[in-house]
Amino acid sequence: MAWARWLGLLLVLLPVVGASKPGIVVRLNKEVLSYVAEAGKVPLRQALQVPIPHFLDRSGQVIQPTRIQILNVHLPYLQLKFIAGFGIRLSAATNFTFKIFRVPEPLHLMLPVALLADTLVAQGSIGTPMVSISACYSLFNKAIVFDGYNSTATTLLAPLQKHIKAVLRNKLCLRISNLVQGLNVHLGTLTGLSPVGPESQVRYTMINAPNITKDYISFDINAVLFLLGKPIILPMDATPFVLPSHVGTSGAMATVGLSQDLFDSAILLLQKAGALNMDITGQLKLSNNPLNTSTLGQVIPEVARQFPEPRPLALKVQLDAIPVVTLHTNNATLRIQPFVEVLAPDSDSAFQSLFSLDVVVNLSLQLYVSEVRLQGTTSVLGNVQVTVASSNVGFIEMEQVQSLMGNVFQRPLLDHLNALLSIGVALPSVINLRYIAPEVFVYEGYIVVSGGLLYQR
Ligand SMILES: *[C@@H]1O[C@H](CO)[C@@H](O)[C@H](O)[C@H]1NC(C)=O
Ligand SMILES: *[C@@H]1O[C@H](CO)[C@@H](O)[C@H](O)[C@H]1NC(C)=O
Ligand SMILES: *[C@@H]1O[C@H](CO)[C@@H](O)[C@H](O)[C@H]1NC(C)=O
Ligand SMILES: *[C@@H]1O[C@H](CO)[C@@H](O)[C@H](O)[C@H]1NC(C)=O
Ligand SMILES: *[C@@H]1O[C@H](CO)[C@@H](O)[C@H](O)[C@H]1NC(C)=O
Ligand SMILES: *[C@@H]1O[C@H](CO)[C@@H](O)[C@H](O)[C@H]1NC(C)=O
């Protein structure tokens, strides 16, 4: 592609290494905890199915090793709650059902166990969220014998319960801790690279410890942009981005705020990479090319004189000026200033420049989220402003050329921009997690994506 050749030069020009600070805030509201609790029941029940060593029955003359098996872990209640300034508290009520392989007949026991675990949510060393269990308790109720009970069982019951409780007290919290630790591998995928445009990528990292209140946990995230695999600093003033509290859809699981800086950076990256530039030649066939020297010759006499035979025109569109994204309440616009060079093949079929135009176009920018990507589409807002930058064909009557030119490059340029914007920018996420029914809100200087979350393996 044409832009590729600029990249080598560009890497020399851009200050390399370090990180820009396009601010993003990801706020997970308490609604997400109900979802996690529901989704977490199955893995938690599985984790709690610990092996129980044989019980040594000393009630008879010889010590009888008795096998014990957990038949079922019932988990009627699991709740997660934010602990302000700390993390997440798990509380669960469980009923363990055991089968004691006692001869001649087995014994069935039910043991209600309450579990309490505090999870610290912190910032890991590589900018990923880190969770760890800081305190965990298992509280046992009295066991209930509901099958195989007879008087001899009573003497057995006390030591048997003691044995089971001792095992569970050690193992349950360990299992919960392992389960929680296992999440860290997943959370680590936050920092994976994802594409922004051709040859450019973004990586997200947490920049400080999360803010935790009783209602939400919020993460300040930094986007580092990469071009050809190298991190770049973008020349911009980075004031920290703060997400106001009552934005987005109330009751949504996730509220993600993306500062204007992120847009500016992504657009700048595309502009610097030359990805926004285009040649319109290839997209116009001579047979139905509405823009040819004979058409143009009707409004510019010098063109008619130089090209008595009709020849196709070529347009070279370059976006040297950085496009400007403006975010106002409910209104996102993109202003581009393409430089358009109009060329025609001379007798040697080398292209010569006829004239060039400075164009200003205001585009309205519609933003939407698909899966985990924020994408955009544009349409022209108001008039396209065209002025002559230079001419090799004498005086140009602007009014006539404007409508002619405007029509020809507008559609291909919009198609090109829309194709790029449809690649979009990945929102911060972790593997297998996507946004459900996300809504995009445009505010003064930032946008908000609100929606549910769905975890799917
Ligand atoms: C679990 O145990 C508690 C306490 O004995 C009891 O109230 C509850 O009904 C049990 N639940 C189930 C589903 O067995
Ligand atoms: C009670 O258990 C003992 C041994 O565990 C057994 O010999 C006896 O038959 C049982 N009694 C009843 C009524 O099930
Ligand atoms: C998190 O808390 C720090 C200090 O308590 C504050 O400066 C920062 O703005 C907060 N971030 C968010 C996203 O609320
Ligand atoms: C030049 O463009 C006009 C329409 O603008 C068209 O009618 C004509 O066929 C074109 N000529 C060629 C040679 O393509
Ligand atoms: C959005 O902003 C543009 C440019 O400032 C303006 O022309 C347009 O009327 C605005 N649209 C709305 C819906 O406010
Ligand atoms: C584009 O929008 C800006 C700001 O709203 C306005 O000043 C300018 O006149 C517009 N230009 C065109 C060509 O519509």
Side-chain angles (χ1 to χ4, degrees), residues 25-351:
V25 173
V26 175
R27 189 189 289 154
L28 300 177
N29 303 310
K30 60 175 183 284
E31 285 75 9
V32 91
L33 294 183
S34 324
Y35 175 69
V36 173
E38 202 49 50
K41 276 187 175 176
V42 170
L44 182 59
R45 282 182 60 199
Q46 282 166 356
L48 296 178
Q49 302 260 358
V50 296
I52 309 276
H54 282 55
F55 168 66
L56 300 179
D57 183 359
R58 292 162 204 273
S59 61
Q61 251 128 36
V62 285
I63 297 176
Q64 276 288 325
T66 309
R67 188 158 87 85
I68 301 172
Q69 189 194 355
I70 294 181
L71 290 184
N72 183 35
V73 180
H74 187 66
L75 183 56
Y77 175 83
L78 173 60
Q79 195 194 44
L80 299 173
K81 264 187 173 163
F82 287 121
I83 313 167
F86 184 81
I88 296 165
R89 173 164 297 158
L90 172 152
S91 26
T94 60
N95 277 338
F96 283 73
T97 312
F98 300 92
K99 182 174 182 181
I100 321 295
F101 291 82
R102 200 178 50 130
V103 280
E105 47 167 356
L107 183 67
H108 286 92
L109 273 187
M110 188 198 271
L111 182 64
V113 184
L115 297 166
L116 264 182
D118 284 351
T119 307
L120 175 68
V121 185
Q123 180 194 16
S125 57
I126 54 160
T128 58
M130 278 279 287
V131 289
S132 57
I133 295 288
S134 70
C136 178
Y137 306 96
S138 41
L139 309 165
F140 299 93
N141 220 319
K142 248 176 103 83
I144 303 152
V145 182
F146 61 91
D147 198 8
Y149 179 84
N150 75 18
S151 53
T152 44
T154 330
T155 54
L156 186 74
L157 214 54
L160 181 62
Q161 272 197 67
K162 205 173 151 204
H163 172 74
I164 290 174
K165 286 178 186 174
V167 172
L168 294 187
R169 187 169 286 122
N170 276 332
K171 288 188 177 167
L172 296 185
C173 281
L174 196 61
R175 286 293 182 95
I176 292 174
S177 179
N178 289 344
L179 192 66
V180 166
Q181 288 286 345
L183 288 175
N184 288 324
V185 176
H186 232 81
L187 295 172
T189 60
L190 168 74
T191 59
L193 280 175
S194 49
V196 174
E199 307 291 345
S200 46
Q201 291 147 318
V202 65
R203 160 175 291 163
Y204 295 111
T205 51
M206 267 174 89
I207 50 176
N208 51 26
N211 281 10
I212 308 171
T213 71
K214 68 180 190 12
D215 294 320
Y216 63 80
I217 182 165
S218 89
F219 301 92
D220 290 333
I221 307 253
N222 183 28
V224 183
L225 293 155
F226 289 81
L227 188 59
L228 285 181
K230 291 208 161 73
I232 59 166
I233 300 183
L234 296 152
M236 54 185 57
D237 163 44
T239 44
F241 171 56
V242 177
L243 183 66
S245 47
H246 297 290
V247 291
T249 316
S250 73
M253 287 189 212
T255 309
V256 181
L258 305 141
S259 71
Q260 169 114 31
D261 280 346
L262 180 72
F263 291 87
D264 292 345
S265 308
I267 292 282
L268 184 67
L269 195 62
L270 291 175
Q271 190 267 344
K272 290 288 180 210
L276 298 172
N277 299 336
M278 65 180 299
D279 290 336
I280 297 183
T281 334
Q283 288 151 357
L284 300 177
K285 290 189 217 92
L286 181 62
S287 56
N288 58 357
N289 186 344
L291 198 71
N292 53 52
T293 52
S294 62
T295 322
L296 201 58
Q298 287 164 19
V299 289
I300 309 172
E302 180 58 20
V303 172
R305 200 190 61 77
Q306 282 187 26
F307 300 90
E309 294 293 308
R311 287 181 179 272
L313 292 170
L315 302 183
K316 206 175 176 58
V317 181
Q318 265 180 264
L319 279 89
D320 296 331
I322 299 164
V324 179
V325 176
T326 309
L327 302 175
H328 288 308
T329 305
N330 298 327
N331 194 348
T333 55
L334 179 65
R335 185 181 196 191
I336 56 170
Q337 291 175 263
F339 176 77
V340 180
E341 198 165 16
V342 181
L343 308 122
D346 59 21
S347 46
D348 308 326
S349 59
F351 277 85

Side-chain angles (χ1 to χ4, degrees), residues 349-360:
S349 59
F351 277 85
Q352 68 174 81
S353 172
L354 302 182
F355 57 92
S356 59
L357 304 170
D358 282 321
V359 182
V360 184

Side-chain angles (χ1 to χ4, degrees), residues 335 360-362 381-385:
R335 185 181 196 191
V360 184
V361 192
N362 286 330
L381 202 63
N383 296 324
V384 177
Q385 180 193 311

